[in-house]
Amino acid sequence: MLLIAPAILAPVTHRLAEPLGRRRRVLEALALAGTLGVLLFQLFARPATPVVSPSWLAPVLLWAAVRFGSSGAALACLAVGVVALAYPCLLYTSP
């Protein structure tokens, strides 16, 4: 609940894009999503031998918060939470 409610409410109450820099902002959002996706894949794809440290997520989450405000931070935290919960469920199934 703590991850889902801000991700739903923040974009509703806060504008995500400005009319003048819309294309540049969309490209930055795609770069942020790609960076976050690569880091999450490297963290959770091989949990026995992780390539990156979990602390590497902090600069990406700060990037989302500074450049996209509370809605960007909420969506980035939601993505981290969903992946952190989904990977163990998908990898470790009972026999």
Side-chain angles (χ1 to χ4, degrees):
M1 186 56 119
L2 290 176
L3 289 175
I4 296 171
I8 293 171
L9 295 176
V12 172
T13 60
H14 180 53
R15 277 184 35 197
L16 283 176
E18 302 156 358
L20 288 177
R22 186 174 175 95
R23 182 175 180 191
R24 184 174 171 193
R25 223 163 144 83
V26 167
L27 290 175
E28 186 178 4
L30 289 174
L32 174 67
T35 304
L36 188 61
V38 167
L39 280 176
L40 290 174
F41 178 76
Q42 291 296 325
L43 255 174
F44 293 106
R46 292 178 280 168
T49 59
V51 178
V52 298
S53 171
S55 63
W56 287 19
L57 288 173
V60 178
L61 294 176
L62 285 173
W63 176 18
V66 168
R67 296 295 293 156
F68 296 99
S70 60
S71 58
L75 291 173
C77 287
L78 178 66
V80 171
V82 166
V83 171
L85 290 174
Y87 258 108
C89 293
L90 294 175
L91 291 178
Y92 303 110
T93 59
S94 62

